[in-house]
Amino acid sequence: MYILSGPAGVGKSTTSKALVRTLKNSAYISGDYVSNMHVNGRQKPWESEQELSLIWNNILSLAQNFISKGIDVVIDYVTFPSGAYWLKDRLEELSVNVVYTILWVDPETLLKRDKLRKPEHQMGERCLILINEFRESGLDTKHLLDTRENSVDDIDQIIEDIKNNKQYRLVD
């Protein structure tokens, strides 16, 4: 299972979709899609522990179903270290290798990339808030993959790094 994380606008979806296409038998789980399944009464997950818990329990259920059938899973969502380890611990009985990669860039690059998104998907200041939340989350920098110097043309190289670099694996 691959968890691709990072602040909004860093390239999680682009990278995750490219990664899932390189895997022989795979499923793509977008945390944003799972979050938006709750239509009426939905709260912003960063403002509601209950909403965030619902999202993660749904992601867990989907991941368990796919993994139990031998299907590799790519999760695309803002995932702090505690969430990645929570997921790993709940999948322990399935003996799955969990690769946790946080795509990372400097604030200026992040804001430039955010402006390239469709206006309705731009996060603006929320991108910078997430950078700070990641910094304060107790993350191990070995999970950071700095893509500041990369473009979409470098996606194959980024995917190979994620798939083959053991530093991104979650181990106890």
Side-chain angles (χ1 to χ4, degrees):
M1 180 173 71
Y2 298 86
I3 304 170
L4 271 65
S5 185
V10 77
K12 291 182 301 297
S13 297
T14 300
T15 306
S16 294
K17 289 173 184 175
L19 171 59
V20 81
R21 286 191 298 269
T22 70
L23 303 169
K24 186 177 178 181
N25 189 13
S26 59
Y28 170 71
I29 300 174
S30 165
D32 289 340
Y33 292 168
V34 171
S35 174
N36 289 315
M37 292 171 84
H38 181 185
V39 178
N40 292 320
R42 178 180 181 267
Q43 298 177 325
K44 294 176 183 175
W46 57 89
E47 294 177 354
S48 168
E49 282 296 321
Q50 182 177 350
E51 195 71 32
L52 192 58
S53 176
L54 176 63
I55 294 164
W56 277 111
N57 281 304
N58 286 332
I59 290 171
L60 172 62
S61 293
L62 287 167
Q64 284 172 319
N65 290 337
F66 287 120
I67 292 167
S68 70
K69 301 298 182 200
I71 300 168
D72 293 329
V73 172
V74 176
I75 297 171
D76 161 14
Y77 198 51
V78 175
T79 308
F80 295 103
S82 60
Y85 279 98
W86 177 89
L87 199 57
K88 175 191 171 294
D89 291 346
R90 272 135 195 90
L91 296 170
E92 192 169 359
E93 67 187 40
L94 295 175
S95 300
V96 63
N97 286 321
V98 179
V99 175
Y100 174 54
T101 308
I102 304 168
L103 301 179
W104 198 254
V105 295
D106 59 274
E108 297 77 27
T109 302
L110 186 60
L111 290 175
K112 284 180 191 173
R113 289 184 184 177
D114 184 53
K115 288 183 181 183
L116 296 174
R117 300 165 88 178
K118 293 179 182 178
E120 63 270 19
H121 295 151
Q122 291 178 9
M123 299 291 284
E125 186 68 23
R126 180 82 183 128
C127 297
L128 300 179
I129 291 168
L130 283 166
I131 282 182
N132 289 329
E133 287 180 9
F134 270 102
R135 287 180 176 148
E136 295 167 2
S137 71
L139 65 89
D140 185 336
T141 57
K142 74 177 187 174
H143 294 289
L144 295 180
L145 174 55
D146 191 331
T147 63
R148 170 182 4 193
E149 301 297 324
N150 299 105
S151 70
V152 175
D153 295 334
D154 302 315
I155 198 80
D156 291 339
Q157 173 192 343
I158 293 167
I159 297 304
E160 286 307 307
D161 190 21
I162 292 168
K163 288 169 64 175
N164 298 314
N165 194 330
K166 292 182 192 291
Q167 79 181 38
Y168 302 126
R169 291 192 185 165
L170 290 185
V171 291
D172 294 324

